Amino acid sequence: MLIVLDKNCKIYVAGHHGLVGSAIWNNLKSRGYENLVGRSHKELDLTDQYAVKKFFDEEQPDAVVLAAAFVGGIMANSLYRADFMMMNMKIQCNVISEAYAHGVKKLLFLGSTCIYPKNAPQPMKEDCLLTSELEYTNEEYAIAKIAGLKMCESYNLQYGTNYIAVMPTNLYGPNDNFHLENSHVMPAMMRKVYLAKLIHDGDWTSIRADLTIRPVGANMKENGETVRYVIDGNSDESLILKVLAFYGIENNKVTLWGTGKPLREFLWSEDMADASVHVLLNVDFKDIIGIEKYSSVHYGVKADGVVDRNHSTGRGGAIPSLGEIRNCHINVGTGKELTIRELSELVVKAVDFKGEVIFDSNKPDGTMRKLIDVSKLHSLGWTHKVEIEDGVQKLFDWYKSSLKG
């Protein structure tokens, strides 16, 4: 029996200001869910175990969407390897353990398709998890996310909870992260191309407006020492040009990392939100593993569909009669891909950039291909709506509007 979350349920969206969390928040609102709870990082540090417990004690949410994470692209993953592991593990452990301690009915955990092996067969099915080594450039983040999905899976098997993990492909959309030090490929590329165009146009008003909203920092080598520079809208023009050049942004010229050959799949964040909410409201753990009798074996379920944990027949470890249960997460994407070079061409078109885009093959490409199999998601009743050609233009339109304050 499906665990129903009615319109009065209190739903905590962790990371509700981020790319994914804000989109999920808005999607829930559009469906009539008004009793939503969110906290900014300043209000609640999810790496603080005691603060998270206090929050759950006070709010007592019925459901949780765990969309908060410490994220970034290849450069950030390389620079902050320990942080990517530790910060994400702390967030996940704190939120999932307190969700269980406070009897949360349903939990949705947001991961990433970087969990899959570097040389996984394409398109990647859920069952290829942990079959070979990970891509080195994002290994720590991937390990943390694998631990998160395994926490959900293991809590379900041991305690009869209803925690579901979804693994979205590369996301982009409103509220994306355009900060050059730790942003993902598409927003970083888009901002670089836009700033290179503004430099060529001599539009310093727009350049300063951009840097006022999103200051840029860079650790640069000078005379054998590392010097930290931060530029904003009030910085000297020569310093602005120096720091932007560090990121490959010059007059009518942009240099991007890698060869441009890697293939990537991209999903509009509002599509991801719709898929997430669809799963949260319409899918239970038993639906994913395809074993109807799981609910009667593992849950004590009342007539209204609510889990009665006090009468759960849950037991430690897996249930022998059901065999091995693993890879219960759900891939979320489009099942379509394009090269990074092709993506750059779409960005150039959206920005109306007439300059030069160069790929620096001395820099890492990352994983060469990352296409996921979305047949499980389709079987659960959801498919994407926004195609990449329209999405890139939509993202640039949003970015320009964000600069108006």
Side-chain angles (χ1 to χ4, degrees), residues 100-372:
Y100 172 69
H102 290 80
V104 165
K105 297 175 185 176
K106 295 190 80 171
L107 180 143
L108 187 73
F109 172 74
L110 279 293
S112 165
T113 54
C114 73
I115 62 171
Y116 292 118
K118 178 178 181 178
N119 298 313
Q122 305 285 324
M124 299 179 290
K125 294 179 178 290
E126 287 85 354
D127 287 344
C128 74
L129 180 66
L130 297 176
T131 55
S132 60
E133 67 181 9
L134 299 165
E135 163 60 40
Y136 181 75
T137 56
N138 61 14
E139 190 174 42
E140 282 72 19
Y141 182 73
I143 289 172
K145 287 301 175 182
I146 291 170
L149 74 87
K150 284 296 182 182
M151 283 183 217
C152 294
E153 192 175 282
S154 299
Y155 266 83
N156 293 340
L157 293 174
Q158 182 170 346
Y159 296 116
T161 52
N162 202 16
Y163 302 165
I164 301 174
V166 291
M167 300 296 122
T169 189
N170 301 289
L171 301 176
Y172 68 106
N175 296 311
D176 215 332
N177 174 16
F178 286 82
H179 293 275
L180 296 180
E181 280 187 290
N182 60 1
S183 59
H184 284 137
V185 59
M186 190 188 300
M189 181 188 295
M190 185 170 286
R191 190 180 184 193
K192 288 177 180 181
V193 170
Y194 177 61
L195 287 171
K197 180 178 187 295
L198 294 180
I199 293 172
H200 179 70
D201 294 343
D203 188 352
W204 281 93
T205 299
S206 296
I207 292 172
R208 293 186 182 281
D210 179 284
L211 295 173
T212 296
I213 298 294
R214 299 177 181 88
V216 175
N219 296 320
M220 303 171 67
K221 289 286 186 181
E222 292 187 358
N223 300 320
E225 295 185 0
T226 299
V227 180
R228 175 71 176 175
Y229 290 108
V230 178
I231 55 173
D232 58 22
N234 296 315
S235 297
D236 180 77
E237 184 175 311
S238 61
L239 181 59
I240 289 175
L241 292 174
K242 178 179 180 178
V243 172
L244 292 184
F246 174 78
Y247 286 104
I249 305 166
E250 301 173 78
N251 185 345
N252 227 27
K253 177 182 174 182
V254 173
T255 302
L256 302 175
W257 279 31
T259 63
K261 295 178 181 179
L263 288 157
R264 289 292 182 270
E265 175 183 12
F266 293 94
L267 178 66
W268 182 245
S269 62
E270 292 174 335
D271 269 357
M272 171 60 208
D274 194 61
S276 297
V277 175
H278 173 82
V279 170
L280 179 68
L281 301 180
N282 300 292
V283 179
D284 282 340
F285 184 61
K286 63 177 176 58
D287 302 318
I288 298 170
I289 62 177
I291 302 176
E292 187 65 33
K293 66 179 180 179
Y294 177 85
S295 59
S296 62
V297 172
H298 228 48
Y299 292 132
V301 184
K302 296 179 181 178
D304 60 2
V306 176
V307 171
D308 181 1
R309 186 169 289 118
N310 294 325
H311 295 87
S312 171
T313 57
R315 49 184 287 181
I319 304 172
S321 63
L322 300 184
E324 291 187 357
I325 297 175
R326 63 178 76 224
N327 302 329
C328 305
H329 55 286
I330 306 168
N331 287 340
V332 179
T334 65
K336 300 179 180 181
E337 61 188 345
L338 77 168
T339 67
I340 295 298
R341 186 178 294 275
E342 289 170 334
L343 174 65
S344 73
E345 292 167 357
L346 292 177
V347 170
V348 163
K349 180 180 178 182
V351 178
D352 192 26
F353 180 63
K354 305 301 183 184
E356 183 179 15
V357 175
I358 296 173
F359 285 88
D360 182 357
S361 60
N362 292 317
K363 295 292 193 299
D365 272 322
T367 306
M368 290 306 294
R369 194 182 185 204
K370 275 180 60 178
L371 180 66
I372 56 173

